[in-house]
Amino acid sequence: MKKENILLPVEIEVKPEWLDYYRHAVGQAIQDDKKETVFATAIAGKAMIKLLEPLNLPSGVVHTQAVIESVTSACVGDTLICEGAITGLIKRIGIEVMTVSMTVKNLNQEEILKAEMTFKLPGWQLSSN
Amino acid sequence: MLIKDLAEIKPGYELPNLTKTVSEDEIFMYAMASSDFNRIHIDSEYARKADLKGVIAHGMLLLGLVEILHQRFFGDFWSDGGSLDIKFKRPVHPQDKINIKSTVLTVGDTQNKKTIVCAVIANNGYDTILTGFAKLTIKQEASQNQ
């Protein structure tokens, strides 16, 4: 893995504030009321955005594929560490496609989830000349 | 609907569908939740200039719906062994009525674990919007204690 492809680790807190927005958007954020375990997709979505923030990607990025594997649960109040890298970057006929792999762990270094996501980046358009 | 007996699950078994109409407000709520303020999700004019009919839902919002379908069915097993592999085929616009369907493809039993793979497909009433797989791996101890 090239050093320049590795993204800076980021931290996210599983807070009720953003989970409440998530619940309003999707319908449910907590899997189990007793344990307050949170859906992996809720965490993965937030984590990936924070991980990619330093890249200052332009608006217009389109998500084309997502692979998410839950390993163990995260709960409301947890602090999670997200690490990732750009594992694929293809440019062809004006289209740029980027794949990012990510791991999310809790502060005990237990893996919460692994994810790989692919995005189509807005690129130059073929000239009509 | 939470499955009571995993032994009932065989290839061809259809999980209960999940249907939802996504509103523009809900798309904005997802942007607030995820901090993903990509303009194709929140700015109709920008989205139209990007050759879309208007704002579109985040892919991860749709994935959240897919996960809910499976977690409601498989319960606690899902959080410690569920995985999704989904391709987003077409954008989802506000007021699109999304119907998500998951059908068991294979059930594998070994000494140590049970693996259930489902084919997932969702449409907006006209076109397919996403396809993929949901996979659940259950350690046999856990499934026997159910």
Side-chain angles (χ1 to χ4, degrees):
Chain A
M1 181 77 61
K2 290 182 190 172
K3 255 191 198 168
E4 55 266 29
N5 293 344
I6 297 174
L7 300 164
L8 283 172
V10 294
E11 204 172 88
I12 60 166
E13 286 181 58
V14 185
K15 286 184 171 177
E17 291 80 13
W18 65 259
L19 284 175
D20 208 37
Y21 283 120
Y22 186 88
R23 184 179 57 79
H24 277 104
V26 177
Q28 194 177 341
I30 306 290
Q31 297 190 61
D32 180 326
D33 285 336
K34 282 184 290 189
K35 300 175 203 169
E36 289 204 309
T37 51
V38 177
F39 281 104
T41 46
I43 293 168
K46 188 148 184 87
M48 184 59 77
I49 292 301
K50 193 141 185 205
L51 204 59
L52 295 179
E53 217 169 55
L55 299 184
N56 288 315
L57 295 173
S59 264
V61 173
V62 175
H63 199 168
T64 59
Q65 183 170 5
V67 180
I68 299 185
E69 184 187 332
S70 295
V71 181
T72 192
S73 314
C75 302
V76 179
D78 282 356
T79 298
L80 305 175
I81 310 294
C82 319
E83 296 171 326
I86 298 171
T87 49
L89 193 60
I90 299 169
K91 294 181 191 183
R92 208 166 277 163
I93 54 165
I95 309 283
E96 196 164 352
V97 174
M98 177 175 75
T99 302
V100 181
S101 296
M102 172 178 77
T103 305
V104 177
K105 296 180 184 175
N106 61 24
L107 293 181
N108 295 328
Q109 290 297 305
E110 292 167 310
E111 242 176 31
I112 302 297
L113 64 89
K114 292 185 269 201
E116 185 181 90
M117 299 194 195
T118 305
F119 305 92
K120 193 173 87 176
L121 307 179
W124 50 269
Q125 296 297 313
L126 282 174
S127 168
S128 56
N129 293 339
Chain B
M1 171 207 153
L2 186 63
I3 186 76
K4 297 271 191 287
D5 184 0
L6 289 174
E8 280 177 35
I9 300 174
K10 297 195 186 314
Y13 189 106
E14 287 188 11
L15 279 61
N17 287 10
L18 189 148
T19 301
K20 180 171 173 60
T21 302
V22 177
S23 71
E24 198 163 335
D25 281 352
E26 284 164 342
I27 293 172
F28 192 79
M29 290 285 182
Y30 186 84
M32 293 292 289
S34 62
S35 306
D36 182 358
F37 294 101
N38 183 339
R39 289 170 72 188
I40 58 173
H41 302 304
I42 60 170
D43 183 339
S44 302
E45 201 177 314
Y46 180 90
R48 276 190 283 272
K49 284 179 185 169
D51 288 334
L52 297 164
K53 287 191 288 185
V55 297
I56 63 172
H58 303 71
M60 290 303 292
L61 187 162
L62 305 177
L63 206 72
L65 297 173
V66 175
E67 186 174 26
I68 285 174
L69 184 161
H70 292 90
Q71 194 277 333
R72 283 180 181 168
F73 184 77
F74 291 113
D76 285 346
F77 291 127
W78 182 261
S79 52
D80 290 342
S83 66
L84 296 171
D85 180 349
I86 300 292
K87 288 189 171 80
F88 304 110
K89 297 290 192 184
R90 279 186 180 78
V92 169
H93 296 279
Q95 304 317 311
D96 279 354
K97 186 176 177 184
I98 304 161
N99 184 35
I100 307 172
K101 186 173 154 180
S102 181
T103 308
V104 175
L105 270 182
T106 62
V107 179
D109 267 301
T110 64
Q111 202 170 10
N112 300 322
K113 61 185 182 185
K114 187 180 197 80
T115 305
I116 300 168
V117 178
C118 301
V120 179
I121 187 163
N123 64 54
N124 59 10
Y126 304 99
D127 299 310
T128 299
I129 56 164
L130 63 83
T131 60
F133 300 98
K135 181 173 154 187
L136 179 62
T137 303
I138 307 164
K139 288 177 191 165
Q140 285 291 38
E141 262 177 28
S143 66
Q144 279 154 16
N145 287 339
Q146 191 202 20

